Amino acid sequence: MSVASGASSGGLHGSDLDPFDLPEWLGTEQVAWSGTGPGAGVRLLAGVLTGPAGQTEACDLLAVDVAYPQPVVDEATRIKAHQHWVRGEVLTVELSDRLTLAVPGTSFHAERLLEALNRLARAVGADPHRYAALLSVGGDHRDTH
């Protein structure tokens, strides 16, 4: 997977990540996702998954359909993300040593975030009811795309 980095002409490079290679606790424990970066409407939403014993795993969400000022992913990765989504799955990749969920769209809203986490939970064999998301109510929540 090739991911463009807005300012860099070379872009960042990532690779597909098998959900079964993720820590076991993601499939067996209560898990909460919380954002650690900018709010809604961005192409990359940084976050972290936290378990009840303080375990953590970086988990970002990437909106793969952002194409301006340059595409954030190559065409093959964008197509793969859409194929996974149509099958009820989410494409998991490793980007800069972080778990990243490649999600169709150009921005994030609560429903899209929750659906991506639901799909991640199922990918690691967890009951999606064991996953929760902590969302900030501050910031600009207008859907601009």
Side-chain angles (χ1 to χ4, degrees), residues 33 40 45 61 85 101 103-104 107-119 122 133 135 141-143:
W33 180 91
L45 191 57
L61 287 88
W85 201 260
L101 308 180
V103 179
S107 63
F108 290 99
H109 49 76
E111 292 83 9
R112 180 64 48 118
L113 168 67
L114 293 173
E115 183 58 27
L117 293 173
N118 177 32
R119 292 170 186 228
R122 287 185 284 131
L135 303 175
H141 299 290
R142 293 173 289 157
D143 187 6

Side-chain angles (χ1 to χ4, degrees), residues 68-118:
Y68 181 83
Q70 65 185 22
V72 295
V73 296
D74 60 55
E75 187 66 11
T77 300
R78 192 183 72 75
I79 290 170
K80 190 186 296 187
H82 279 268
Q83 289 170 336
H84 276 71
W85 201 260
V86 167
R87 291 192 308 257
E89 303 169 352
V90 66
L91 177 62
T92 53
V93 298
E94 184 175 11
L95 181 61
S96 299
D97 295 324
R98 296 173 62 89
L99 165 63
T100 303
L101 308 180
V103 179
T106 57
S107 63
F108 290 99
H109 49 76
E111 292 83 9
R112 180 64 48 118
L113 168 67
L114 293 173
E115 183 58 27
L117 293 173
N118 177 32

Side-chain angles (χ1 to χ4, degrees), residues 22-26 30-34 36 47-59 97-99:
L22 294 171
E24 184 178 342
W25 62 269
L26 291 174
Q30 296 285 350
V31 176
W33 180 91
S34 57
T36 60
V48 64
L49 298 166
T50 305
Q55 316 95 308
T56 62
E57 177 73 25
C59 181
D97 295 324
R98 296 173 62 89
L99 165 63

